[in-house]
Amino acid sequence: MGQKINPIGLRVALNKDWRSRWFAGKKDFGTLLHEDIKIRNLIRELLKDAAIAKVEIERYRNSARVTLHTARPGIVIGKKGEDIEKLKARVGKETGKDILIEIREVKNPDLNAQLVAEGITGQLERRVSFRRAMKRAIQMAMELGALGCKVQLSGRLGGAELARREQYREGSVPLHTLRANIDYGFAEANTTAGLIGCKVWICRKNENEEERSHASHA
């Protein structure tokens, strides 16, 4: 089995949930799918600095609920909720539907694979050494209780003439164990030498185990 499958897609319905929850017939499916992509791209574009980990979309007849998982809810909401109203109006205008936006805070951004990947690519764009960025991200995840973490970068690393791929890992990241709670994130750094892709896999404790460990510490 190759390692070319998205670890989240592989675990959907087992221990991960769909990021878009709606049903449509053959006629409307394509339109709604593209609308979902449009909503996600628009939100990522408008909220570049808000550390958006995940965008979930639920649809009803003429409306949609968009749930933003973010590490910086203050940036999304804005002063007296102005920014969230602007965002709601903009997304509503693009889709022609009533939009309800819900915000959920990501408690541990250093344990969220998507945010870790975006953090590493942000550092690469600021010309931080790629090895240091990778090792620091792994160290932070392990300190916060991850069972394992793997980071892979591909591209012209350090401005090298030839593109290559480097990866570091610590702990266990069992990608073939479907019960394992694997979080996966991907981001791209737009550097002067070209695009550098970053993939992050974080193996976290299962939610039941996490709850039990919190209870025992309490």
Side-chain angles (χ1 to χ4, degrees):
M1 183 174 170
Q3 296 183 341
K4 294 161 191 70
I5 191 163
N6 187 309
I8 294 170
L10 184 64
R11 289 167 175 79
V12 158
L14 189 73
N15 57 15
K16 299 275 183 218
D17 205 358
W18 281 265
R19 301 232 166 140
S20 289
R21 291 188 285 276
W22 45 265
F23 179 81
K26 254 185 188 172
K27 198 173 71 178
D28 303 318
F29 183 84
T31 314
L32 294 180
L33 177 67
H34 281 284
E35 203 173 88
D36 275 12
I37 295 167
K38 200 190 216 176
I39 290 171
R40 287 197 169 92
N41 291 343
L42 183 65
I43 286 171
R44 292 211 174 274
E45 192 185 308
L46 295 175
L47 301 171
K48 268 183 197 153
D49 306 321
I52 301 287
K54 187 165 66 169
V55 178
E56 292 181 335
I57 299 169
E58 287 177 66
R59 291 179 179 276
Y60 309 102
R61 185 157 284 178
N62 290 315
S63 62
R65 180 201 296 268
V66 178
T67 307
L68 306 180
H69 294 255
T70 171
R72 298 179 191 152
I75 293 177
V76 180
I77 296 163
K79 219 174 190 179
K80 295 178 183 171
E82 285 172 15
D83 291 358
I84 197 166
E85 288 304 322
K86 280 182 195 166
L87 180 68
K88 204 185 282 186
R90 181 76 194 274
V91 175
K93 188 182 168 190
E94 289 285 332
T95 58
K97 290 186 173 72
D98 291 334
I99 301 290
L100 176 69
I101 292 182
E102 207 175 278
I103 294 169
R104 290 194 190 161
E105 189 180 355
V106 175
K107 291 281 191 290
N108 279 334
D110 290 314
L111 272 181
N112 186 289
Q114 183 61 38
L115 295 182
V116 171
E118 285 175 15
I120 292 170
T121 52
Q123 288 177 64
L124 293 180
E125 286 172 358
R126 294 196 302 276
R127 305 204 175 180
V128 172
S129 153
F130 70 90
R131 283 194 186 94
R132 188 196 290 175
M134 290 164 85
K135 284 176 180 171
R136 191 166 183 280
I138 292 173
Q139 187 189 340
M140 290 292 285
M142 296 305 286
E143 280 173 11
L144 284 167
L147 299 175
C149 181
K150 180 166 86 168
V151 177
Q152 182 176 292
L153 289 182
S154 297
R156 291 180 59 189
L157 304 177
E161 201 67 30
L162 286 176
R164 67 182 194 277
R165 181 177 293 170
E166 279 212 17
Q167 75 173 29
Y168 289 99
R169 67 183 295 165
E170 203 176 308
S172 82
V173 186
L175 297 181
H176 289 187
T177 308
L178 294 180
R179 280 195 313 272
N181 184 10
I182 305 275
D183 193 19
Y184 170 74
F186 170 75
E188 286 177 332
N190 201 354
T191 68
T192 48
L195 282 180
I196 292 177
C198 174
K199 291 179 178 179
V200 176
W201 295 260
I202 295 177
C203 180
R204 298 198 296 235
K205 290 175 186 167
N206 284 324
E207 276 150 31
N208 299 342
E209 285 174 34
E210 278 178 21
E211 280 165 21
R212 262 186 247 128
S213 68
H214 285 314
S216 64
H217 287 311

